[in-house]
Amino acid sequence: MSYPVARALLNNPSRLMLYFQAIFWRIFVSIRMFLHELAFPRPLTPRFVKYIDTTLTAMPGRVRLVFYTPKDYKAPGNEDKKYPCIVNFHAGGFVLGVATDDCRWATAVCEQADTIVCSVDYRRAPEHPFPTAVDDGADAVMWIWDHADELGIDGDRIGVS
């Protein structure tokens, strides 16, 4: 937790209680998701991860983008193929969850629709108050669109879920 965030939480006792509740639920959800990922069939592991700097929010920071790709992504003979991309924002009400929570869904989309899935690990409340997560999502979509060619993404076929 960064110093300005810690100071903001300590100066506002109601936010401090929200912070501790969020920590409790995040631990509970992490255990649940760990067990979820152990079940068969196993989901894909992310092919690669990118970290981007935020540009829209008042709270500067970095956002992690987790990429799930079809099996033939960047395979010999397919280096120039452009894939559609779905930018995914995991559930959790901007408070809970991480980008890899939707790994089973991403696996299904990659395998059945031959699509790249980019899951955004936006910054969560209460450490980063609204609208930080929304701004992180907008930053992610703009970054993916700007870097579509180097990622093997068709810039005209980017969707959001």
Side-chain angles (χ1 to χ4, degrees):
M1 180 173 21
S2 67
Y3 176 71
V5 173
R7 187 176 51 208
L9 288 174
L10 292 174
N11 289 338
N12 188 341
S14 62
R15 288 197 70 76
L16 187 60
M17 188 60 194
L18 285 174
Y19 174 74
F20 287 124
Q21 288 175 355
I23 295 298
F24 169 79
W25 286 110
R26 286 177 188 162
I27 291 169
F28 180 75
V29 169
S30 295
I31 293 168
R32 182 180 145 268
M33 292 311 297
F34 173 76
L35 296 173
H36 176 72
E37 290 177 17
L38 290 178
F40 289 97
R42 300 303 278 285
L44 288 174
T45 55
R47 176 73 61 105
F48 59 95
V49 175
K50 298 281 186 180
Y51 291 87
I52 64 168
D53 293 320
T54 59
T55 59
L56 297 175
T57 186
M59 294 183 77
R62 295 184 64 119
V63 177
R64 183 173 73 125
L65 306 179
V66 179
F67 288 85
Y68 298 89
T69 62
K71 287 184 177 25
D72 65 345
Y73 178 77
K74 302 282 185 175
N78 273 353
E79 294 92 358
D80 295 330
K81 183 176 179 183
K82 301 291 183 194
Y83 295 86
C85 179
I86 296 179
V87 182
N88 177 54
F89 302 99
H90 62 83
F94 300 131
V95 178
L96 299 174
V98 294
T100 55
D101 285 353
D102 294 333
C103 58
R104 291 191 181 278
W105 176 84
T107 298
V109 171
C110 287
E111 291 176 352
Q112 296 176 19
D114 201 33
T115 299
I116 294 173
V117 175
C118 173
S119 194
V120 180
D121 204 4
Y122 54 80
R123 294 174 292 166
R124 301 165 299 181
E127 297 93 343
H128 303 280
F130 182 84
T132 304
V134 176
D135 293 340
D136 289 351
D139 274 327
V141 171
M142 291 187 309
W143 187 89
I144 291 167
W145 190 78
D146 287 342
H147 295 83
D149 286 336
E150 71 187 64
L151 296 170
I153 293 172
D154 180 352
D156 294 329
R157 297 190 297 163
I158 298 175
V160 176
S161 77

